[in-house]
Amino acid sequence: MALALAPAAAEAGSKRSVVKKPGTTVIKRARVSKTFVAKQSRRSIVRLAPPRPSFGQLAGLHSTQDDLDLRSSVALVIDQDTQQVLLSKNDSAVLPIASLTKLMTGLIISEARLPMDEAITITQDDVDTEKGSSSRLRVGTTLTRGELMHLSLMSSENRAAHALGRTYPGGMNAFVEAMNARAKLLGMNDTNYVEPTGLSSRNQSSAKDLVRLVSVASNDSMLRELSTSPGREVAVGNRTLQYNNTNRLVKHPEWDIGLQKTGYISEAGQCLVMQAKVAGRKLIMVFLDSAGKLSRIGDAERVRKWVETQVPAPTPATNGNTVIRHVSG
């Protein structure tokens, strides 16, 4: 049987009648509005657009090779007790650090000894205008400072972190000044903060500096507890929201993690810092500018297995400046 398509005018919604000839079947095309076509075209453009390269990619850091075949362009692993450097890769490169910023945000709030039960309300000022990211904490939501700390460190909640900075004594400017002053006091000379969330690519640091931050933060019991919490339910009005840790390794039985923080914006790539016990050692691990959503986790696993199977135990004669694996671009 012959098939005849309805005239093109019918696609645009014309009321012109279609005459069916004997022995044929008319197949009418579905009416498609111009608005629908335009939306689909825009979505196709977004899907086809290449991802924005990270600062590390633009600097050529991903061309640096290492023995563990890490996907992170920057890595640094040290023994926290002996300060022995076990692995180093482009550790002086200064790059955006995304939500690793929130570790300093948490440290400033913790050291300020502000009341954790004080109620703080999310305002329009906390809405992300940098990247346009979404949040389940609606404007008008009220939580305690402790709850905001928990969501910021565990789930990397941007509005929570921004509210912590906004409500700091003296306001946001005073908070950012405190972040940079604390960084200088720690000897983090490559580090600069402009806001408390990490959404800005102007929040930058190096792996060497971040090791210093993790070392100090890992001695803070509040930061340890909140950053490694696997999940938490938060009552918001008549709703109960379930938040989970952005680092799946906190639930992994083979990992003993004391402190951690993840981060991601396109300019920074995938980032991860951890303090964890591996083969009897307390290690600090920093991975920056990793390519691929799960690659920072894969790099951490590669380092753990390498330390467990190939790295000799420290001895009293170990030089704290010894570098077992060092590569740089």
Side-chain angles (χ1 to χ4, degrees):
M1 180 183 293
L3 300 179
L5 292 177
E11 294 182 41
S14 171
K15 295 182 179 180
R16 183 183 303 170
S17 61
V18 179
V19 179
K20 176 181 176 182
K21 297 180 180 180
T24 66
T25 297
V26 177
I27 301 177
K28 293 185 179 181
R29 290 177 179 162
R31 182 183 298 179
V32 180
S33 70
K34 293 181 180 179
T35 302
F36 177 81
V37 173
K39 287 182 179 179
Q40 291 300 104
S41 297
R42 287 195 296 270
R43 289 172 181 169
S44 296
I45 291 173
V46 171
R47 285 196 297 267
L48 294 175
R52 181 185 302 176
S54 67
F55 281 30
Q57 289 172 323
L58 293 173
L61 297 181
H62 279 272
S63 63
T64 305
Q65 301 297 312
D66 65 87
D67 292 345
L68 300 186
D69 194 25
L70 301 177
R71 297 293 304 280
S72 303
S73 72
V74 171
L76 183 58
V77 180
I78 73 164
D79 185 308
Q80 188 174 8
D81 292 327
T82 67
Q83 294 300 298
Q84 182 185 15
V85 178
L86 304 184
L87 183 147
S88 173
K89 178 181 179 181
N90 294 324
D91 60 0
S92 296
V94 179
L95 297 173
I97 56 173
S99 286
L100 301 186
T101 296
K102 294 182 177 75
L103 203 52
M104 178 61 84
T105 297
L107 183 64
I108 296 300
I109 295 296
S110 177
E111 292 182 340
R113 299 294 187 266
L114 299 174
M116 289 296 112
D117 58 353
E118 180 180 346
I120 296 175
T121 299
I122 301 296
T123 72
Q124 190 63 37
D125 290 339
D126 301 318
V127 175
D128 171 25
T129 58
E130 182 80 28
K131 294 289 190 293
S133 60
S134 61
S135 170
R136 289 190 289 165
L137 296 183
R138 301 170 182 169
V139 172
T141 298
T142 298
L143 297 173
T144 66
R145 179 176 282 110
E147 288 173 319
L148 294 178
M149 276 275 282
H150 199 159
L151 298 185
S152 176
L153 293 169
M154 178 187 72
S155 298
S156 218
E157 227 302 336
N158 292 313
R159 290 184 187 178
H162 192 276
L164 290 172
R166 176 177 54 79
T167 57
Y168 183 79
M172 185 63 76
N173 288 339
F175 187 76
V176 174
E177 287 179 6
M179 294 175 75
N180 285 303
R182 192 68 175 96
K184 292 300 181 186
L185 192 61
L186 291 175
M188 299 171 64
N189 297 320
D190 295 326
T191 301
N192 182 63
Y193 298 105
V194 299
E195 50 83 33
T197 69
L199 288 167
S200 174
S201 60
R202 291 184 293 159
N203 284 1
Q204 299 185 0
S205 188
S206 65
K208 286 183 176 180
D209 278 8
L210 290 170
V211 160
R212 295 173 182 267
L213 175 59
V214 173
S215 182
V216 171
S218 66
N219 291 321
D220 187 304
S221 60
M222 183 190 301
L223 302 187
R224 290 173 62 90
E225 178 184 353
L226 298 184
S227 72
T228 59
S229 172
R232 176 166 182 170
E233 290 185 347
V234 178
V236 179
N238 58 358
R239 300 179 300 151
T240 299
L241 303 180
Q242 175 65 47
Y243 284 87
N244 297 306
N245 203 303
T246 54
N247 184 354
R248 63 175 60 188
L249 294 182
V250 300
K251 298 180 180 179
H252 200 293
E254 293 185 351
W255 280 91
D256 182 4
I257 300 174
L259 179 108
Q260 70 80 37
K261 188 69 197 76
T262 63
Y264 172 78
I265 56 174
S266 57
E267 297 95 329
Q270 301 285 342
C271 304
L272 172 65
V273 295
M274 290 196 302
Q275 188 253 33
K277 185 172 288 187
V278 178
R281 296 180 182 224
K282 286 194 296 184
L283 301 184
I284 294 178
M285 305 181 185
V286 177
F287 303 101
L288 303 181
D289 187 37
S290 188
K293 188 174 182 180
L294 299 178
S295 54
R296 61 191 176 189
I297 300 298
D299 284 352
E301 290 283 10
R302 277 184 279 274
V303 167
R304 180 180 64 83
K305 292 176 181 177
W306 172 67
V307 171
E308 289 176 339
T309 60
Q310 299 185 43
V311 177
T315 64
T318 297
N319 185 334
N321 295 319
T322 299
V323 177
I324 294 180
R325 291 287 186 272
H326 178 83
V327 288
S328 61

